[in-house]
Amino acid sequence: MTETDARADWRSYLGSGLPPILMSALACFMEHGYHGTTVREVAARAELSVPGLYHHYPAKQDLLVAIVSHAMDDLWERSTAALEEAGSDVRRRLDLLVECLVLFHAYRRDLAFIAYSEIRSLAGEVRDTYIGARDRQQRLMDQVLQDGVARKEFTTEYPREVSRAIVTMCTGVSQWYRPEGEYTPQQLAERYRAMTRMMVGAV
């Protein structure tokens, strides 16, 4: 999905959002883990020769970096679009940001899971860049909580801690959600919205 598409309809999840080579790499990482996957396995799944794969991605680390970067960029664009849709109403900003996080981690669960679990496999400046993107994403929720408390819309005495708890709860969806389960992503998002209202004291 392009940046324009994500901003136009942040709830839409048509297609995988990844090019075929990265889809192949993602599938291998999900099956074997990053360190347990060989470049030859990714190339075979992508129906490429190993030199053909190296033409696009010179190292296995480049595959992981591309996957993680795509995940963080996609989530950021959707999140900021959701906040723009909510406008200045701080309760609606909370609702839509939570909805966005839950939908992303349900629909893009494999992508989100690898982006979270394989941070340990990122090296050097790349890891620092990822942590910076993750912290930037967290600050969106931090700001919503701070604004809600300042406007006396939220009554929690611990906005910073509650903000992190909400984000952790939403991102955790990628670890357990299955499409064949009891709830659709949208139904799950509605439940999470209700729970987070209680957490911030906005009931």
Side-chain angles (χ1 to χ4, degrees):
M1 176 174 286
T2 66
E3 177 178 329
T4 301
D5 291 337
R7 300 198 72 80
D9 187 0
W10 55 268
R11 295 179 181 88
S12 177
Y13 284 89
L14 299 176
S16 67
L18 284 173
I21 294 176
L22 295 184
M23 279 297 297
S24 297
L26 178 61
C28 289
F29 295 162
M30 285 297 295
E31 289 178 13
H32 310 295
Y34 173 75
H35 290 294
T37 297
T38 66
V39 170
R40 186 172 299 279
E41 287 170 334
V42 176
R45 190 180 287 259
E47 298 182 346
L48 292 170
S49 64
V50 171
L53 180 62
Y54 279 137
H55 174 75
H56 297 281
Y57 297 94
K60 186 172 72 168
Q61 178 81 178
D62 295 320
L63 292 166
L64 180 61
V65 170
I67 288 170
V68 169
S69 297
H70 176 86
M72 297 307 297
D73 290 346
D74 190 16
L75 179 58
W76 174 259
E77 291 302 328
R78 292 176 186 276
S79 298
T80 53
L83 290 172
E84 287 176 9
E85 180 181 319
S88 61
D89 184 330
V90 72
R91 293 190 182 211
R92 183 157 173 77
R93 288 171 71 80
L94 175 65
D95 278 351
L96 295 197
L97 185 54
V98 167
E99 179 182 352
C100 179
L101 289 171
V102 172
L103 293 182
F104 181 85
H105 289 85
Y107 282 116
R108 297 280 191 259
R109 60 192 183 281
D110 288 357
L111 181 66
F113 179 80
I114 289 300
Y116 171 80
S117 65
E118 291 293 355
I119 183 175
R120 63 186 183 277
S121 301
L122 295 172
E125 292 182 4
V126 172
R127 188 174 187 275
D128 293 340
T129 298
Y130 170 82
I131 292 173
R134 184 191 62 185
D135 291 348
R136 180 180 70 161
Q137 181 70 39
Q138 176 65 49
R139 284 194 293 271
L140 293 179
M141 186 65 74
D142 292 346
Q143 190 63 55
V144 170
L145 268 289
Q146 290 170 14
D147 291 347
V149 169
R151 299 178 193 181
K152 301 187 184 306
E153 295 280 347
F154 305 155
T155 61
T156 177
E157 297 179 6
Y158 311 107
R160 181 179 179 182
E161 290 80 3
V162 170
S163 174
R164 294 193 177 278
I166 290 171
V167 170
T168 300
M169 181 175 72
C170 293
T171 57
V173 168
S174 67
Q175 299 180 44
W176 61 264
Y177 181 77
R178 296 294 179 270
E180 64 275 11
E182 186 176 0
Y183 303 112
T184 67
Q186 194 62 50
Q187 289 171 330
L188 188 63
E190 287 298 321
R191 286 178 171 255
Y192 273 53
R193 282 167 53 153
M195 289 190 293
T196 54
R197 288 188 208 115
M198 290 187 283
M199 291 172 69
V200 303
V203 181

